[in-house]
Amino acid sequence: MSAVEGVDPARSRVFGEVAEAYDASRPGYADALVSQVLAYADLGGRPALEVGAGTGKATVQFAGRGVPLTCVEPDPRMAEVLRRNAAPYPHVRVEVGGFEEWEAAGRRFGLLFAATCWHWFAPERRWDLVHDALVPGGAVALFWNPHGVLDPEVYEELADVDRRFGVTGSPHGVPAATFGDEPGQGGEPFWPAGECRADGRFTDLTAFRYRQETRYGTERYLGFLASISSYRVLSAERLDGVLAETAKVLDARGGGIDMLHVSDLFLARRRA
């Protein structure tokens, strides 16, 4: 879920329409990020809670490290794919529902993480929900995958396509040169550090940025775009048009797009 799409409960439910394409085209997260989260959380066998789990892009990376997981996902169609992806891991439990409505039923977790979905949760409630789900000293990990276009000419051509079709918030909406070394810089307008610090119930705030270059072929990149809410809300005619024009640009550039793939990680701990 693109972090520039804003908080809109109705818009946050459009992903289930393309759950399979979402799962096939969305990128995963840096292995180093997963290692950093687990080192920081120091679970010691305690379970973790994932909210807004989607189809399990992050789930399987944590489950593969042996972490007992409860995954909360609001869309039943996404949850169906999530269950399939998590099937090899018997220590993963999937619960369908929104985080705001989810019942902990007395459970508390050593880690709560949210992968590219924090911006969908109600700002006036999300830190209360996190605090209540964690044991004292428990960790919260929030992370995103912003992208930047490496070729400035491709960026300009795609920006023109987006302007003509009224698209905002696309993965190619930022040139790679915008990204510096600081986490949250260049691609994450909802970076949580200020909000968390102002809350006062969390400590040990820290952040990391992981960078790698990657190439998307035209077909995969169009699938990626079609899974993003700013494209899902377009009329069928406009969606077909913008994807066709985007494909023309990419095919003229060798059949794909070279991107800077960033994984930004924010960590904090509930005060003991």
Side-chain angles (χ1 to χ4, degrees):
M1 307 178 191
S2 173
V4 295
E5 293 164 344
V7 179
D8 180 343
R11 196 166 173 178
S12 71
R13 301 297 194 269
V14 301
F15 304 102
E17 300 168 358
V18 287
E20 295 289 350
Y22 182 108
D23 188 57
S25 62
R26 290 290 182 110
Y29 298 89
D31 287 338
L33 180 150
V34 178
S35 296
Q36 185 65 57
V37 171
L38 294 178
Y40 179 92
D42 191 18
L43 286 170
R46 291 189 303 270
L49 173 68
E50 181 183 9
V51 294
T55 62
K57 304 301 287 190
T59 310
V60 296
Q61 292 183 262
F62 282 85
R65 305 288 188 96
V67 178
L69 280 175
T70 294
C71 301
V72 179
E73 166 53 43
D75 192 297
R77 298 161 294 184
M78 299 286 276
E80 182 179 353
V81 180
L82 170 61
R83 285 193 178 98
R84 184 185 70 213
N85 288 335
Y89 309 103
H91 49 285
V92 174
R93 172 178 179 151
V94 177
E95 300 182 9
V96 179
F99 184 31
E100 291 87 347
E101 298 79 40
W102 175 74
E103 295 288 342
R107 293 170 290 176
R108 293 293 181 270
F109 300 85
L111 167 67
L112 180 150
F113 66 92
T116 316
C117 62
W118 179 249
H119 53 289
W120 293 119
F121 304 127
E124 68 276 9
R125 294 193 58 207
R126 53 194 177 195
W127 289 107
D128 290 336
L129 294 166
V130 170
H131 182 271
D132 292 347
L134 291 174
V135 298
V140 54
L142 312 175
F143 44 97
W144 293 263
N145 272 345
H147 290 70
V149 183
L150 287 165
D151 187 329
E153 292 184 5
V154 173
Y155 166 75
E156 293 294 344
E157 290 181 36
L158 292 178
D160 178 65
V161 172
D162 289 352
R163 280 192 294 270
R164 287 191 280 114
F165 286 90
V167 174
T168 59
S170 68
H172 53 259
V174 179
T178 302
F179 291 91
D181 295 328
E182 291 297 317
Q185 181 184 46
E188 180 44 63
F190 299 100
W191 189 246
E195 196 176 76
C196 181
R197 190 174 291 109
D199 181 277
R201 292 176 292 179
F202 299 85
T203 188
D204 296 343
L205 279 63
T206 188
F208 300 88
R209 167 163 281 183
Y210 307 89
R211 305 160 62 104
Q212 66 180 50
E213 294 183 6
T214 189
R215 181 170 179 82
Y216 290 87
T218 299
E219 183 176 356
R220 184 187 174 199
Y221 192 67
L222 295 184
F224 184 12
L225 296 184
S227 76
I228 292 172
S229 71
S230 53
Y231 287 79
R232 298 305 314 155
V233 298
L234 298 175
S235 68
E237 182 179 2
R238 287 176 65 203
L239 177 61
D240 289 345
V242 71
L243 293 181
E245 290 298 312
T246 300
K248 286 183 183 178
V249 172
L250 301 192
D251 286 344
R253 297 281 182 169
I257 184 170
D258 294 307
M259 303 283 277
L260 174 66
H261 175 203
V262 174
S263 291
D264 275 351
L265 168 64
F266 173 80
L267 293 165
R269 196 181 309 280
R270 176 182 162 173
R271 290 187 184 276

